[in-house]
Amino acid sequence: MKSNKIADGIFQLGANINNGDLFEGLWPIPDGVSLNSYIVKGEKTALIDLVDDWDNAPNNLLNQLDQIDIELESIDYIVLNHLEPDHTGWIKGFLEKTKDVVIVTSPKGEKMLRALFSYQGEVLVVNDGDELDLGGQKLTFYHIPFVHWPETMVTFHKESGVLFSCDAFGSYGALGNEVFDDQISEEKHKFYDNESLRYYANIVAGYSLPVIKAIDKLEGLDVKVIAPSHGIIWRENPSIIIERYRKFAKYMSGEAEKEITMIVGSMYGKTKAVVSSIVKGIRSEGIPVHIFNVPEDDISFILSSAWKSKGLVIGMPTYEGKMFPPTSSVLEMFSLKHVWNKEVFRFGSYSWSGGAQRDFENKTEKLKWNCIEPLEWLGEAKEEELNSAYLQGKKLAIKVKES
Ligand code: FEO
């Protein structure tokens, strides 16, 4: 990656992670992810957000500092908006290479810094609204707790209107040479749109109420550029990503897309046998349906689709008196990420006494789901079950359409 000038004295640096690793040790990133850092240079120099020691990211950062003629030793401040190690993991290596650099973070950030990295030096702790004068450049810090962790803040450069938003307004997807919203193609925008939804559903979804609170708070600022720590920089139309994030956050309260996500786990095909009847019923009402199989499909992509869909169809057989485990684990993730306020239909076969439905009801009772009558059958689905599957698919689609 090369460095990019955003405004006078303000540059984007960073690295692409593209080595096949999982993000957070959990989420696949087949098209990579960027870790963006930023330089603000006045009489003094601040580096905003760091990188992890991951896939050669520190060396990329050092090369980009060279490109803009900034020596590492000349950096006066390192601003840590958020302590998750994708933005801080290289802090020990960074501190070994710099002299007298001052770490700037929020009060909770300081505690995390000391806990995560055993850091014992001085910290400049900044409260909500505090300013840091670099001499010719001023930074203001605003706390946005739980976007993504409780310590998180953003840094605002009022004169240029650049908001360094860290995880907020971020996306998966490595960056090419063109990093600004006005430089990339429509096709690339579509890619980042999809990847920002998947990133949101995987990383931030459980904190959607704080996201809305943060957006409302930041609306009071004259933001001209959104410079996140993952993904592209929005300088032509920052309102696109702000409104996109607001839309994603509202999915949690039920203002979701009129689509259905179907998740099916099947041991010997007896449960899967009714899928095409359900799909026909859904499509008869003109509602799109996205089908995932577990355990084959990754939870990252299932979560993304389920988050935006108003309707869910969840199929699994009974397994030792409970739900088929791969489907059960999807529901645990839905619970963790607050996949709430959905119209839902559950189906599945059993071989003797059943039990999956009871387990399903227990596991989903706090998700605010509106479930229609489930469909369960002993052994193989007969004509009667196939007809019911079609009718329940249709019924769910009507509910989604009318919601
Ligand atoms: Fe990009 Fe929550 O770290």
Side-chain angles (χ1 to χ4, degrees):
M1 276 175 74
K2 64 181 178 63
S3 62
N4 291 279
K5 183 176 174 179
I6 300 174
D8 285 345
I10 302 180
F11 299 88
Q12 177 255 354
L13 317 170
N16 283 323
I17 305 301
N18 231 336
N19 63 357
D21 282 357
L22 299 171
F23 191 68
E24 288 192 336
L26 178 59
W27 313 107
I29 39 171
D31 296 295
V33 67
S34 70
L35 308 179
N36 305 339
S37 298
Y38 298 93
I39 281 283
V40 180
K41 184 167 171 43
E43 287 166 26
K44 293 193 168 183
T45 302
L47 178 62
I48 299 176
D49 291 325
L50 197 58
V51 294
D52 196 2
D53 189 359
W54 185 17
D55 200 14
N56 208 31
N59 281 334
N60 282 319
L61 194 71
L62 295 175
N63 288 339
Q64 289 156 24
L65 285 171
D66 273 352
Q67 287 169 22
I68 56 173
D69 291 326
I70 290 183
E71 292 180 4
L72 199 62
E73 296 77 10
S74 72
I75 294 173
D76 300 285
Y77 299 98
I78 169 79
V79 177
L80 301 180
N81 280 318
H82 171 33
L83 270 288
E84 190 165 8
D86 51 332
H87 309 291
T88 56
W90 185 49
I91 190 75
K92 286 183 184 176
F94 173 80
L95 292 174
E96 280 167 14
K97 288 177 181 289
T98 50
K99 287 185 207 154
D100 303 323
V101 71
V102 176
I103 299 179
V104 182
T105 191
S106 65
K108 286 182 180 164
E110 182 197 9
K111 284 184 187 159
M112 286 188 180
L113 176 69
R114 298 198 190 284
L116 287 168
F117 303 103
S118 305
Y119 180 71
Q120 296 182 344
E122 293 295 310
V123 175
L124 176 58
V125 174
V126 288
N127 291 309
D128 191 44
D130 280 359
E131 281 188 350
L132 177 64
D133 193 343
L134 301 176
Q137 305 271 27
K138 255 186 202 167
L139 301 175
T140 314
F141 308 100
Y142 295 100
H143 292 186
I144 55 162
F146 290 103
V147 189
H148 162 218
W149 284 2
E151 86 297 4
T152 311
M153 62 181 196
V154 294
T155 301
F156 186 53
H157 184 259
K158 191 175 171 185
E159 194 187 0
S160 63
V162 179
L163 181 74
F164 305 99
S165 61
C166 202
D167 276 1
F169 313 120
S171 166
Y172 290 143
L175 296 177
N177 284 332
E178 291 164 340
V179 301
F180 295 102
D181 60 334
D182 52 289
Q183 292 177 320
I184 64 175
S185 65
E186 205 174 309
E187 188 187 356
K188 206 70 182 155
H189 267 293
K190 197 163 171 32
F191 163 79
Y192 284 115
D193 188 355
N194 289 333
E195 284 293 76
S196 59
L197 170 65
R198 193 165 68 89
Y199 170 85
Y200 186 95
N202 293 177
I203 309 298
V204 202
Y207 304 112
S208 288
L209 291 177
V211 167
I212 290 174
K213 211 169 163 185
I215 291 173
D216 289 346
K217 178 175 182 171
L218 298 174
E219 259 181 352
L221 308 178
D222 186 14
V223 175
K224 296 190 176 77
V225 179
I226 295 275
S229 288
H230 303 292
I232 62 170
I233 300 166
W234 298 80
R235 67 180 177 188
E236 185 175 71
N237 202 343
S239 65
I240 289 179
I241 191 68
I242 294 170
E243 290 315 310
R244 187 183 293 167
Y245 257 60
R246 196 194 298 277
K247 178 180 73 174
F248 292 165
K250 285 184 175 178
Y251 287 163
M252 189 181 78
S253 54
E255 293 179 50
E257 307 296 333
K258 293 188 187 303
E259 299 174 5
I260 289 173
T261 291
M262 179 186 280
I263 303 128
V264 186
S266 191
M267 295 165 68
Y268 295 103
K270 304 293 186 198
T271 291
K272 201 176 262 185
V274 305
V275 165
S276 65
S277 300
I278 298 170
V279 169
K280 275 183 202 156
I282 292 170
R283 289 191 176 143
S284 71
E285 293 296 324
I287 294 292
V289 54
H290 314 285
I291 303 169
F292 295 88
N293 295 295
V294 288
E296 293 86 350
D297 292 321
D298 194 279
I299 185 63
S300 169
F301 298 88
I302 296 171
L303 198 49
S304 180
S305 182
W307 184 257
K308 75 166 178 166
S309 298
K310 180 65 194 177
L312 299 177
V313 176
I314 301 175
M316 89 294 288
T318 291
Y319 183 93
E320 298 184 6
K322 303 278 185 185
M323 287 187 280
F324 183 50
T327 326
S328 184
S329 88
V330 167
L331 295 182
E332 276 170 28
M333 186 60 86
F334 282 5
S335 180
L336 186 69
K337 296 294 178 183
H338 299 181
V339 180
W340 291 352
N341 295 301
K342 304 293 184 188
E343 302 291 335
V344 180
F345 168 51
R346 187 255 142 187
F347 69 97
S349 70
Y350 58 92
S351 298
W352 61 97
S353 65
Q357 180 61 27
R358 191 171 50 250
D359 190 23
F360 174 82
E361 287 167 8
N362 290 339
K363 282 219 165 77
T364 59
E365 66 175 340
K366 293 187 178 157
L367 298 182
K368 310 176 188 195
W369 285 1
N370 184 25
C371 297
I372 62 171
E373 184 72 15
L375 176 63
E376 282 200 300
W377 63 94
L378 176 64
E380 197 163 65
K382 316 290 186 305
E383 197 61 33
E384 186 188 340
E385 279 87 32
L386 295 174
N387 287 339
S388 296
Y390 175 85
L391 291 173
Q392 290 303 81
K394 189 177 183 68
K395 185 174 179 180
L396 185 75
I398 291 169
K399 282 190 161 286
V400 165
K401 206 150 61 167
E402 291 175 349
S403 63

